[in-house]
């Protein structure tokens, strides 16, 4: 199965590409769902169960996006901790969020049972641990907030990961699974009952015509009543692009010499935090560790992130070898909660689901629940909490301002300054770099045979300058997270057009 990066994730090794049909031509559909990750596939199945005639349209293949780059911890606590949610949104909102988290876990477990899905689903206890005084203070606040919201957290003396900690808290009732096996089975159920699924077809946008919607795709237009963007950011230009910031996170799957693989989920409280769990693939057990998050495009030599991660984890575990390593992209919302609901500035009946941070297995499942309820009835108990048009009710938009400022910095700073003239000859094989060359800002990659692939470095979404990602071999846009392959093809939206060749503009 293909993913939107050059490195192979643990989940790709088992699963082949799902079969697809090529025909988008259909007179009138109830719902078009754009994107076949956990959000799109779960939403389509939910809507189909409610009697809607659906089509999933996927630009690449099922699981091409973050769902194959995830680590698939299933948690009832989030990157935005309950104490922060209480401060920013109030206690009632935090309680509703805790209820939603529990419901998402039940939905996933319910699907596993109902469809008899073999996806290595395992209940797990999670452990949050502080490594110093500062982290301990954060942990204390987090535990207090979680308890107020209704999430059970208990102090314990043991850290099953063997990492010396000043305090350890256990959270029962969590879980893990194989994300691609899970969505592949959901897709199987959906297709079996007549659901339509088109792969290799990018959606460019949607417009209202009369009383219906027209979705424009690479393979022609589709008429429907509802459109759900399960794509993180929707294509085109939208307020969501300024309320979400793209980040990359790094993961390694490790073989350990002592074969001591803790059967638990673990997290420290660094900013960015490290996360741990184990999984058996083809009879081999691995420790999966992640972290080293940064704003997309901020680091070009991404090998350094993997090295830092392995060195850090090596302090506590006896690493025999790094079996897999990969990175993937998530989106952080302006206020910590996801945006799930009507897409602001678009016609009625157009929806989005984004800003999941590192909790998209749960929020993707909740998006499916919320959006299918909105389509079916116009309402959902989570409508207000996740409303994409909300303004943060209590606190100021600190992150929003910060991320917004970053976007502006990249727009002005990257395009018109700094990158000094470098000659193409300065590149080694396998390296890429944005260079100024006779007045052009160019994204230049020299492949392993020494052939140069030269593109304009302007992102085709909103014209920020793309940055090289040395390990995933991609050009990543720091503004809104669009990513392109070495020949300019779109790997990740919101861009819908490939990077242009410098002398042959399309
Ligand atoms: C390293 C890492 C670890 C993580 N670990 C966890 C974890 O442990 N637990 C957890 O809950 N969450 C985790 N997350 C977050 C979670 O994996 C994601 O939020 C989730 O997978 C998002 O699923 P999705 O279906 O919304 O998006 P995706 O899986 O990215 O799917 C979007 C799909 O839309 C398609 N698409 C995009 N644009 C278009 C278009 N214009 N036309 C057609 N198709 C289009 C893409 O090709 C893609 O297949 C992690 C994230 C990262 C980066």
């Amino acid at each position: 199965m293909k993913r939107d990066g050059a490195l192979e994730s643990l989940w790709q090794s088992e699963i082949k590409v799902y079969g697809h049909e090529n025909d988008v031509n259909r007179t009138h559909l109830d719902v078009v769902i754009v994107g076949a990750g956990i959000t799109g596939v779960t939403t389509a199945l939910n809507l189909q169960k409610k009697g809607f005639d659906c089509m999933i349209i996927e630009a690449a293949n099922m699981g091409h996006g973050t769902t194959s780059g995830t680590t698939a911890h299933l948690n009832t606590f989030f990157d935005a901790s309950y104490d922060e949610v209480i401060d920013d949104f109030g206690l009632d909102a935090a309680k509703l969020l805790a209820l939603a988290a529990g419901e998402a876990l039940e939905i996933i477990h319910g699907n596993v049972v109902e469809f008899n899905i073999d996806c290595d689903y395992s209940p797990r206890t999670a452990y949050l641990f502080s490594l110093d005084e500062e982290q301990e203070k954060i942990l204390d606040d987090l535990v207090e907030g979680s308890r107020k919201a209704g999430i059970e957290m208990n102090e314990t003396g043991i850290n099953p990961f063997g990492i010396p900690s000043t305090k350890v808290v256990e959270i029962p009732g969590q879980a893990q699974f194989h994300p691609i096996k899970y969505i592949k089975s959901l897709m199987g159920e959906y297709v079996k009952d007549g659901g339509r699924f088109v792969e290799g077809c990018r959606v460019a946008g949607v417009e209202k015509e009369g009383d219906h919607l027209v979705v424009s795709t690479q393979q022609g237009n589709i008429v429907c009543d509802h459109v759900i963007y399960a794509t993180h950011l929707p294509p085109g230009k939208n307020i969501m692009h300024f309320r979400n910031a793209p980040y990359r996170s790094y993961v390694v799957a490790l073989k350990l010499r002592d074969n001591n693989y803790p059967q638990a989920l673990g997290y420290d409280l660094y900013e960015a935090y490290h996360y741990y769990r184990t999984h058996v693939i083809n009879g081999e057990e691995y420790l999966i560790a992640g972290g080293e998050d940064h704003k997309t495009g901020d680091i070009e030599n991404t090998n350094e992130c993997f090295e830092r991660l392995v060195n850090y984890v090596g302090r506590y575990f006896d690493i025999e070898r790094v079996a897999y390593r990969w990175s993937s992209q998530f989106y952080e919302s302006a206020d910590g909660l996801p945006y799930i609901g009507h897409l602001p500035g678009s016609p009625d009946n157009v929806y989005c689901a984004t800003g999941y941070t590192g909790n998209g297995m749960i929020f993707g499942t909740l998006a499916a629940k919320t959006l299918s309820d909105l389509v079916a009835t116009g309402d959902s108990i989570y409508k207000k909490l996740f409303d994409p048009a909300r303004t943060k009710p209590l606190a100021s938009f600190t992150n929003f301002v910060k991320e917004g400022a970053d976007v502006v910095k990249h727009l002005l700073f990257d395009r018109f300054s700094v990158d000094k003239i470098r000659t193409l000859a300065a590149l080694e094989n396998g390296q890429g770099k944005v260079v100024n060359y006779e007045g052009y800002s160019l994204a230049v990659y020299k492949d392993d045979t020494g052939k140069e692939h030269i593109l304009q470095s302007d992102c085709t979404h909103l014209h920020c300058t793309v940055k090289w990602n040395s390990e995933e071999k991609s050009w990543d846009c720091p503004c809104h997270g669009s990513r392109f392959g070495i020949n300019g093809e779109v790997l990740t939206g919101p861009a819908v057009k490939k990077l242009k060749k410098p002398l042959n503009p399309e």
Side-chain angles (χ1 to χ4, degrees):
M1 195 200 74
K2 286 194 176 156
R3 197 177 74 81
D4 61 2
L7 299 171
E8 188 183 340
S9 83
L10 192 63
W11 321 118
Q12 283 174 271
S13 61
E14 285 208 7
I15 306 294
K16 301 280 182 295
V17 174
Y18 198 85
H20 67 280
E21 54 177 296
N22 291 316
D23 174 22
V24 297
N25 225 338
R26 183 82 181 262
T27 43
H28 201 124
L29 287 150
D30 294 332
V31 192
V32 166
I33 295 124
V34 188
I38 191 168
T39 305
V41 178
T42 319
T43 306
L45 185 61
N46 275 7
L47 282 165
Q48 187 188 52
K49 280 189 191 168
K50 289 177 189 281
F52 289 89
D53 185 16
C54 303
M55 180 184 278
I56 302 177
I57 303 188
E58 164 56 50
N61 52 266
M62 189 202 75
H64 188 256
T66 312
T67 301
S68 59
T70 189
T71 48
H73 300 223
L74 305 176
N75 302 121
T76 55
F77 57 95
F78 301 112
D79 292 5
S81 54
Y82 286 104
D83 53 310
E84 291 170 337
V85 174
I86 291 169
D87 282 352
D88 293 352
F89 295 87
L91 182 57
D92 286 348
K95 284 183 175 171
L96 186 59
L97 183 65
L99 190 82
E103 183 171 12
L105 266 176
E106 274 171 26
I107 291 171
I108 292 172
H109 185 241
N111 283 337
V112 170
V113 172
E114 181 181 350
F115 303 120
N116 198 17
I117 300 177
D118 173 14
C119 63
D120 314 331
Y121 178 92
S122 316
R124 286 278 186 270
T125 299
Y127 293 82
L128 283 163
F129 39 88
S130 53
L131 304 189
D132 56 34
E133 228 175 84
E134 199 183 326
Q135 290 188 23
E136 194 172 321
K137 164 82 181 86
I138 295 169
L139 184 56
D140 287 342
D141 292 346
L142 185 155
V143 169
E144 197 188 330
S146 301
R147 285 182 181 150
K148 282 185 189 159
I151 299 293
E152 186 186 342
M153 294 196 176
N154 306 309
E155 196 175 334
T156 169
I158 301 160
N159 181 343
F161 292 88
I163 299 173
S165 312
T166 64
K167 192 175 268 186
V168 184
V169 165
E170 66 178 10
I171 309 123
Q174 315 297 300
Q176 64 177 47
F177 66 1
H178 187 307
I180 298 299
K181 282 185 178 179
Y182 175 73
I183 66 164
K184 193 185 175 198
S185 293
L186 294 190
M187 179 69 95
E189 293 298 323
Y190 163 77
V191 170
K192 192 179 76 190
D193 287 344
R196 310 273 309 262
F197 173 37
V198 179
E199 288 184 308
C201 178
R202 189 164 287 279
V203 166
V206 56
E207 287 193 0
K208 192 163 175 69
E209 277 187 19
D211 58 0
H212 53 255
L213 299 169
V214 177
V215 183
S216 51
T217 83
Q218 276 178 322
Q219 294 178 22
N221 290 349
I222 307 166
V223 178
C224 62
D225 294 331
H226 304 266
V227 173
I228 291 173
Y229 282 119
T231 55
H232 303 281
L233 299 185
K237 299 173 181 65
N238 188 277
I239 184 80
M240 282 298 106
H241 300 134
F242 299 97
R243 291 196 173 173
N244 289 277
Y247 281 80
R248 293 203 74 75
S249 190
Y250 293 78
V251 185
V252 286
L254 306 166
K255 288 301 295 174
L256 302 179
R257 274 194 196 88
D258 59 5
N259 279 320
N260 183 9
Y261 296 95
Q263 303 302 302
L265 310 176
Y267 316 82
D268 62 32
L269 289 146
Y270 282 108
E271 171 81 47
Y273 63 92
H274 300 96
Y275 43 103
Y276 305 90
R277 78 167 176 100
T278 57
H279 204 99
V280 177
I281 297 277
N282 293 331
E284 286 284 338
E285 187 144 36
Y286 300 96
L287 174 73
I288 304 171
E292 296 298 331
D293 307 3
H294 64 77
K295 259 309 275 299
T296 294
D298 274 2
I299 295 179
E300 295 202 1
N301 180 3
T302 48
N303 186 43
E304 286 172 4
C305 303
F306 287 112
E307 281 179 0
R308 271 199 299 274
L309 181 59
V310 172
N311 286 339
Y312 179 79
V313 176
R315 287 195 219 163
Y316 306 110
F317 296 90
D318 190 5
I319 300 171
E320 181 186 291
R321 68 187 163 89
V322 178
Y324 295 85
R325 49 178 214 138
W326 72 92
S327 67
S328 193
Q329 184 158 290
F330 65 90
Y331 287 84
E332 195 165 304
S333 73
D335 58 20
L337 292 187
Y339 299 112
I340 300 166
H342 174 248
L343 174 61
S346 67
D348 290 348
N349 300 347
V350 178
Y351 306 90
C352 65
T354 185
Y356 295 165
T357 58
N359 309 116
M361 299 291 103
I362 295 299
F363 285 138
T365 305
L366 278 174
K369 158 87 182 134
T370 308
L371 296 179
S372 54
D373 285 349
L374 286 177
V375 167
T377 68
D379 207 359
S380 155
I381 57 164
Y382 307 122
K383 181 176 176 177
K384 195 165 158 240
L385 184 65
F386 298 141
D387 182 3
R390 68 179 177 263
T391 49
K392 198 167 151 184
L394 297 180
S396 65
F397 268 63
T398 334
N399 276 352
F400 177 82
V401 172
K402 180 176 158 288
E403 304 304 357
D406 263 2
V407 168
V408 172
K409 182 189 91 179
H410 284 297
L411 275 169
L412 301 176
F413 180 79
D414 288 349
R415 291 196 68 206
F416 303 115
S417 62
V418 193
D419 225 312
K420 304 298 176 207
I421 296 171
R422 306 254 169 122
T423 60
L424 302 182
L427 288 171
E428 302 284 339
N429 286 4
Q431 281 185 341
K433 173 116 184 103
V434 173
V435 295
N436 288 323
Y437 180 70
E438 295 191 357
Y440 290 95
S441 176
L442 304 172
V444 184
Y445 170 66
K446 206 175 198 182
D447 68 22
D448 290 338
T449 67
K451 186 177 168 224
E452 276 127 7
H453 301 245
I454 304 174
L455 301 159
Q456 289 187 29
S457 65
D458 273 20
C459 175
T460 56
H461 177 230
L462 287 179
H463 305 293
C464 300
T465 300
V466 294
K467 303 277 182 140
W468 180 237
N469 180 334
S470 66
E471 300 309 290
E472 299 290 5
K473 304 271 183 247
S474 59
W475 296 105
D476 297 356
C477 180
C479 291
H480 307 109
S482 295
R483 297 177 54 247
F484 305 87
I486 54 167
N487 293 314
E489 69 278 15
V490 178
L491 296 176
T492 306
V496 291
K497 290 189 180 153
K498 60 197 290 195
L499 290 181
K500 291 180 183 158
K501 294 205 166 130
L503 301 175
N504 183 20
E506 287 154 56

